[in-house]
Amino acid sequence: MRVDQAKAIRLDDFLQRLGHLPAHLRSGCKWYKSPFRQENSASFKLSRDAMAYYDHAEGKGDNIIELAQRIGQLQTVSEALAFIENTVGDLNLADYS
């Protein structure tokens, strides 16, 4: 998988494949309980287009590659790309082109 292919994948699809579902929808944005810690209230928000996230509890966010590195505790972009590819599996990447 290439970086451009990974960045074309919606984060809500990626998170769903990892077993994370939105806690609620507010103002067109999906909110999740953080995949990084236990929490009672959803503080992890996806952008409206679901291409970026922002973790309000930590005060930072980024794209799918950084998210994959954090969730998978991975060091390199290459490892993150492999993790994303393994996670999305049969997801039709042509739908994201």
Side-chain angles (χ1 to χ4, degrees), residues 37-66:
R37 67 187 162 277
Q38 295 283 45
E39 49 183 23
N40 295 322
S41 300
S43 68
F44 188 88
K45 175 185 165 186
L46 299 188
S47 60
R48 287 179 194 253
D49 65 1
M51 301 308 286
Y53 77 90
Y54 188 78
D55 188 335
H56 286 269
E58 293 184 354
K60 61 183 177 180
D62 213 322
N63 61 40
I64 192 169
I65 294 171
E66 192 275 340

Side-chain angles (χ1 to χ4, degrees), residues 12-73:
D12 52 354
D13 290 335
F14 180 64
L15 288 168
Q16 181 178 345
R17 296 287 177 123
L18 291 169
H20 300 282
L21 299 175
H24 58 271
L25 181 68
R26 184 180 306 146
S27 301
C29 296
K30 292 180 180 179
W31 288 77
Y32 294 75
K33 291 183 179 177
S34 177
F36 310 126
R37 67 187 162 277
Q38 295 283 45
E39 49 183 23
N40 295 322
S41 300
S43 68
F44 188 88
K45 175 185 165 186
L46 299 188
S47 60
R48 287 179 194 253
D49 65 1
M51 301 308 286
Y53 77 90
Y54 188 78
D55 188 335
H56 286 269
E58 293 184 354
K60 61 183 177 180
D62 213 322
N63 61 40
I64 192 169
I65 294 171
E66 192 275 340
L67 179 61
Q69 285 179 300
R70 288 209 50 209
I71 289 174
Q73 299 178 349

Side-chain angles (χ1 to χ4, degrees), residues 79-97:
E79 290 174 318
L81 293 173
F83 179 75
I84 294 165
E85 187 170 20
N86 289 334
T87 300
V88 299
D90 61 351
L91 186 67
N92 185 358
L93 295 177
D95 292 343
Y96 289 96
S97 299

